[in-house]
Amino acid sequence: MREKLAGVPFSITSYLFGGSCFLCRGAARALLCTHCDADLPRLERALCPRCALESPGGALCGRCLTHSPAYDATHAALAYDFPADALVHALKFRGELALAPLLAGFLAPKVRAAAVDHVVAVPLSAERLRTRGYNQAVEIARHLRRDALELALCERTRDAPPQIELPYGERQRNVRGAFRCTRSLEGARIAVVDDVMTTGATLEEVARTLKQAGAAHVENWVVARTPLHA
Ligand SMILES: [Zn+2]
Ligand SMILES: [Zn+2]
């Protein structure tokens, strides 16, 4: 029985990917071959607990000390670098939804023990959701602490130009007031899931909105973290 169950994921991935690695198309018994899996830029070095950028000894970084973010912590699994960026991109823009459990799996060990009441995903606007057909953050969140998942807790009130099209300095202004909580969150501890954290402007605005609704603690759970550009 146990062997049969263990064989299920392999048969599904073989069916979807023909037993070849999603990245290099070499032979693989899972979505990624062992080489590509080993090549992933896992974030294992000391990170700032607040923003997940590299920080000596894992201390609170200078940026967070001088400009305290609205969120209290960030957990990130991978650096947003090749080949992690290719996986995130394929999930986000090419509808490769089978990558969601894989990407969530890298993050799961870091958030398993987190003391949170609710898990939300960064919402897309209704319009963007219609065009894309799914929200990649939701797809990832489904595989993390399903028991605490509350998708309707936070909404996107308006569409803004995609952050990627804007200079870093304008991203915070672009998302200002873009989210709304659907109920009071007095004293709640919330985790916010997203695929990538770049400047953190979107997550900052989500955290600010959640705190305004009474949340006591907000932490980000992101698959990939972009290192700061000089
Ligand atoms: Zn490979
Ligand atoms: Zn920091």
Side-chain angles (χ1 to χ4, degrees), residues 46-48 53-61:
L47 304 174
C48 168
L53 289 175
E54 276 191 37
S55 171
L60 199 63
C61 76

Side-chain angles (χ1 to χ4, degrees), residues 47-55 59-65 67 69 71 74 225:
L47 304 174
C48 168
R50 198 94 182 244
C51 71
L53 289 175
E54 276 191 37
S55 171
L60 199 63
C61 76
R63 269 170 38 96
C64 289
L65 277 171
H67 201 89
Y71 45 81
T74 299
R225 179 65 163 115

Side-chain angles (χ1 to χ4, degrees), residues 23-170:
L23 287 169
C24 73
R25 304 289 163 193
R29 291 183 58 81
L31 280 176
L32 299 185
C33 71
T34 49
H35 301 291
C36 288
D37 184 80
D39 275 351
L40 286 173
R42 288 179 168 81
L43 285 172
E44 277 154 353
R45 271 181 286 179
L47 304 174
C48 168
R50 198 94 182 244
C51 71
L53 289 175
E54 276 191 37
S55 171
L60 199 63
C61 76
R63 269 170 38 96
C64 289
L65 277 171
T66 39
H67 201 89
S68 192
Y71 45 81
D72 300 283
T74 299
H75 297 286
L78 306 168
Y80 192 54
D81 228 331
F82 186 80
D85 55 354
L87 296 175
V88 168
H89 200 271
L91 169 64
K92 191 171 190 160
F93 299 112
R94 301 212 319 263
E96 300 280 6
L97 297 183
L99 293 173
L102 177 84
L103 293 173
F106 298 128
L107 188 55
K110 294 198 170 195
V111 301
R112 196 165 284 143
V116 294
D117 304 305
H118 310 292
V119 175
V120 304
V122 172
L124 291 181
S125 68
E127 191 191 341
R128 182 100 24 97
L129 191 58
R130 256 196 310 277
T131 342
R132 193 175 295 168
Y134 61 96
N135 175 348
Q136 74 284 354
V138 168
E139 297 307 315
I140 293 162
R142 283 188 206 288
H143 300 279
L144 296 165
R145 297 285 304 274
R146 213 186 176 107
D147 54 314
L149 193 60
E150 287 223 35
L151 296 176
L153 209 146
C154 183
E155 295 175 343
R156 190 153 194 147
T157 55
R158 63 174 170 80
D159 219 354
Q163 293 286 74
I164 201 158
E165 292 168 10
L166 294 173
Y168 277 23
E170 283 176 30

